[in-house]
Amino acid sequence: MANTSMDVISSLCKRRGFIYHSSEIYGGINGFWDYGPFGCEMKRNIKNAWWEFTVRTREDVVGLDATIIMHPSIWKASGHLSTFSDPMCTCRSCKKLMRADQVADIFTDGECGKSLAEVVKDGVDAAKVAGWCKGKAKGIAKTLAAVADADKLTAAFNAMKADPAKYADLYALYTLLAAPETEGYRACPYCGGELTEPRPFNLMFKTVVGPVDDPDNVAYLRPETAQAIFAEFTNILNSSRVSVPFGIAQMGKSFRNEVTPRNYTFRSREFEQMELEFFIKPDEAVELVCGHVVTMKDNPDLSTPAKDWGWEVWHKYWVEQRKAWIHRCGLPAASFTEYWQKPDELAHYARACVDIEYQFPFGLQELEGIAARSDYDLTQHQIHSGQSMEVFDADVKAAAAALDDAAKAAFTEKVVADWTARGKDPEKAKKFLASLFEGRYIPHVIEPSAGVDRMMLALLCNAYEEQKLTDNKGKDDSRVVMHFSPVVAPVKVGVFPIVKNKPDVYEKAREIYKDLRKRVSAFWDESGQIGRRYRRQDEIGTPWCITVDFQTLEDGTFTVRDRDTMQQTRMTLPEFKAMMEEALLM
Ligand code: ATP
């Protein structure tokens, strides 16, 4: 559940073999996480569900599995070498590095921030804050000027009294206590020391290819999987039976040297992405072929793609597809929202971008993004590689050929006016149209880009519940249960013999277990009371537990206990399999 603390989730994940801190025996390494036996099963299920939904069940998407290290020119063309950076600052006192835009969040998350927040929860009262400086803060914030020096405390006190509203923001108040007499001071969230001005820090991990450690041999671990799709675009176009509109999907590891990895696996330095580049005709091509372009104002039916959809409809279509997938994996529709980036937040080439945000215990944060990126990426690779990224579209050529000179001129005038209104070069519009009339254009792209680790974290947070129960003798009882959807649950079924010292029952249970294991991950447990075995499966989110007993030997039925309702039903193996298959359908 969303209000469960991250500490509770991370401790369950460690205890039950979902997630461990990487290299823990050597003290761990910040921003890197290992997925244990149940964690890697669950992660695989998420990726399989994505592949199934995005590639296998569609006729218009193909897959790619490209390398992590690619030609460094790819990152020059994509802009990652020059612009893929975060603003970073350093504390002049404790030397810690942090992302400049996360300073206030880091402070609020820490012990000092939480303690100060408690003091000012009903508003800034100068006397109460001074009391905190003289008392509790001596233990947790002793380097703050107002804590270490009585004169500085007086200065801070006077400033708070004069204008308490100015310090309603917790980080502003902390900054005042760190440096009461210095305007514009930016306080280190860890020690109160002064932070340097932010400077850009490139997030790509560098490496060297080959034995010679020379600048010419520098390469990068990919910071996203998407660029390989653009780099392989023409190969895929020439070697597969695809035509626009179509998509190329890829999933795999990405690496970002995040300045401050935080919030458990949410911001890691090594993580996995699931990305789709869905290539569409430019709206001008749609207009040529169909005589019109459908936009969201036309209130289109988003369930079935149509030839006359413009980029805006395709974008919304993919937002809906992604929401459907997230929901199918088990997040309730009410737990995530769409955030539509405002025009001033959009990258210069993007026409729209939606973040799907989930209410994590540490706040509403991006789960994944769906961007309409125009023809920017393929154009960049065309410029930098010198290779054409245009496609030939016979329908577009035929439609253009059918226009008479006057119609062509009117079309040209309209497109040039539209490009000019969007701040684009009219000469480029004319060049684009010259190619378009020959049936050639660079496709535009819609990019749904999701993180496996973030999805898994959201599913873990959503699934967790501590339930108070009453047992059948009326005694208080409790259980921890992970309400995973069967699609992502790491174990689909637990199989138990009711007793282990009756060979017939035992062998029958083994037979059923081995049969089920051919299709799904099943867990064998023969030790302890059945109730205990149920609890162990509840904690890892196993949807069903099968208990094989004496009756199984007579009529082939066994009890199936449902994790969420705790109800038990007798079923035969074929009945159980049919029910399970139905629940596992994507
Ligand atoms: P943020 O703003 O949170 O840094 P972003 O906008 O840079 O994310 P994208 O570049 O759009 O993220 O990457 C697409 C997806 O990849 C994200 O929505 C997220 O699910 C995942 N992702 C990105 N960075 C990380 C990371 N450091 N750790 C885990 N997942 C990540």
Side-chain angles (χ1 to χ4, degrees), residues 261-318:
R262 48 205 290 270
N263 292 330
Y264 200 30
T265 57
F266 179 82
R267 189 172 297 289
S268 306
R269 287 179 165 141
E270 176 175 339
F271 54 97
E272 280 193 84
Q273 287 183 308
M274 307 176 284
E275 298 194 294
L276 168 69
E277 301 301 332
F278 195 83
F279 299 98
I280 55 172
K281 287 183 171 71
D283 280 8
E284 294 84 352
V286 175
E287 174 136 25
L288 267 184
V289 174
C290 303
H292 64 280
V293 178
V294 172
T295 69
M296 285 310 293
K297 284 205 196 88
D298 301 312
N299 203 13
D301 167 12
L302 290 176
S303 64
T304 320
K307 264 180 102 166
D308 54 1
W309 280 7
W311 72 268
E312 198 195 14
V313 182
W314 274 113
H315 179 244
K316 184 68 178 148
Y317 165 80
W318 277 108

Side-chain angles (χ1 to χ4, degrees), residues 31 80 84 86 99 102 203 223-224 254-258 261-262 264-275 341 353 355-356 365-371 373 447-455:
H80 282 81
F84 192 58
D86 278 339
R99 250 174 77 167
Q102 288 178 353
L203 298 184
E224 61 171 41
S254 292
F255 302 81
R256 296 184 187 178
N257 199 0
E258 297 282 358
R262 48 205 290 270
Y264 200 30
T265 57
F266 179 82
R267 189 172 297 289
S268 306
R269 287 179 165 141
E270 176 175 339
F271 54 97
E272 280 193 84
Q273 287 183 308
M274 307 176 284
E275 298 194 294
Q341 288 188 11
C353 187
D355 292 341
I356 306 284
Q365 297 278 349
E366 175 179 329
L367 195 55
E368 59 174 85
I370 302 104
R373 296 176 63 88
E447 178 188 79
S449 171
V452 182
D453 310 72
R454 281 197 194 169
M455 183 61 183

Side-chain angles (χ1 to χ4, degrees), residues 66-84 202-207 218-231 250 253-256 273 275 373 376-377 380-381 384 447:
T67 58
I68 285 170
I69 295 177
M70 298 187 282
H71 196 291
S73 297
I74 286 186
W75 308 115
K76 189 155 186 250
S78 67
H80 282 81
L81 264 178
S82 51
T83 58
F84 192 58
N202 194 294
L203 298 184
M204 284 199 292
F205 278 100
K206 264 190 201 162
T207 187
V218 165
Y220 303 90
L221 304 192
R222 67 181 180 204
E224 61 171 41
T225 60
Q227 288 306 318
I229 297 178
F230 300 121
Q250 165 157 245
K253 292 267 184 178
S254 292
F255 302 81
R256 296 184 187 178
Q273 287 183 308
E275 298 194 294
R373 296 176 63 88
Y376 176 77
D377 306 273
Q380 285 299 104
H381 287 295
H384 286 258
E447 178 188 79

